[in-house]
Amino acid sequence: MRPAGTPSRIATPATAEEPPSPWSALRLHLETACRRGGALALRPEDLDRDQCLIFLREKGKTSRWQPISPTLMTHLVHHAHTRNAAEGEQLLRYRSGKPITRRRYDGLWTRIGLELPWVEKQQITTHWLRHTTATWVERNFGFAVARAYAGHAESKSDGSTVIYTLAATAW
């Protein structure tokens, strides 16, 4: 029996049509607080390897450079190379090279929930990770940094950032 929390089926998809590793997707959202649409809009040219930045395009035609770790950059560059993602095309792809869809991306959470039952029980999603990361950034670096990190516009999104960073007090 494998130790709890270690990858098995998740890390080694069974077919060529499986989405990218859930662990890479988790790391992308934990490090950047990006939206699902921002992850799916990534292109190979959005990776600045020298500065460890990715260019995110998200809802409302907003865009921003977001820092990532060298480890995540290495994974994204490797993914782009092994999945034959060409310049101007979607970065996140199946093993076959076909771009993944929103629906299949959301299916990552079903796969993760099969391996880690607490993920399903707590209803953890990409958006949940976004809230968690924004809250951590706000607690450690302040409201203005959290607002920028989450990609919220200064003029009208103070309410969104406040909602994102409110700590749940009742369980």
Side-chain angles (χ1 to χ4, degrees):
M1 175 167 243
R2 68 182 175 80
T6 58
S8 63
R9 288 191 314 257
I10 292 176
T12 54
T15 71
E17 289 305 313
E18 293 294 332
S21 163
W23 306 113
S24 295
L26 285 171
R27 188 165 188 140
L28 174 64
H29 292 287
L30 281 172
E31 287 192 25
T32 67
C34 71
R35 296 170 176 92
R36 174 190 59 193
L40 292 174
L42 278 174
R43 303 176 307 197
E45 62 268 25
D46 296 334
L47 306 178
D48 182 336
R49 297 174 196 178
D50 295 330
Q51 297 183 67
C52 280
L53 297 171
I54 60 173
F55 189 70
L56 294 171
R57 290 172 194 76
E58 297 189 315
K59 74 178 192 179
K61 298 184 181 180
T62 61
S63 59
R64 69 186 184 282
W65 284 101
Q66 195 80 345
I68 62 172
S69 68
T71 301
L72 180 56
M73 180 61 75
T74 299
H75 286 286
L76 292 175
V77 168
H78 177 74
H79 179 86
H81 177 71
T82 60
R83 307 285 173 105
N84 298 315
E87 296 288 313
E89 294 182 356
Q90 183 177 322
L91 177 84
L92 298 178
R93 299 175 166 274
Y94 297 106
R95 285 187 187 176
S96 67
K98 180 177 147 186
I100 68 167
T101 63
R102 288 178 182 269
R103 184 174 176 163
R104 286 292 273 175
Y105 197 79
D106 289 343
L108 291 173
W109 293 104
T110 302
R111 293 173 62 210
I112 293 168
L114 291 173
E115 294 293 320
L116 304 171
W118 59 268
V119 168
E120 183 179 1
K121 185 176 182 177
Q122 296 297 320
Q123 299 178 357
I124 295 172
T125 63
T126 300
H127 203 71
W128 186 92
L129 291 178
R130 179 172 162 74
H131 281 258
T132 300
T133 300
T135 299
W136 183 87
V137 170
E138 189 271 337
R139 299 294 187 276
N140 288 277
F141 301 101
F143 181 79
V145 174
R147 181 179 55 214
Y149 209 82
H152 292 156
E154 285 188 40
S155 60
K156 62 180 184 178
S157 293
D158 283 356
S160 296
T161 307
V162 168
I163 290 168
Y164 272 54
T165 59
L166 283 176
T169 56
W171 294 98

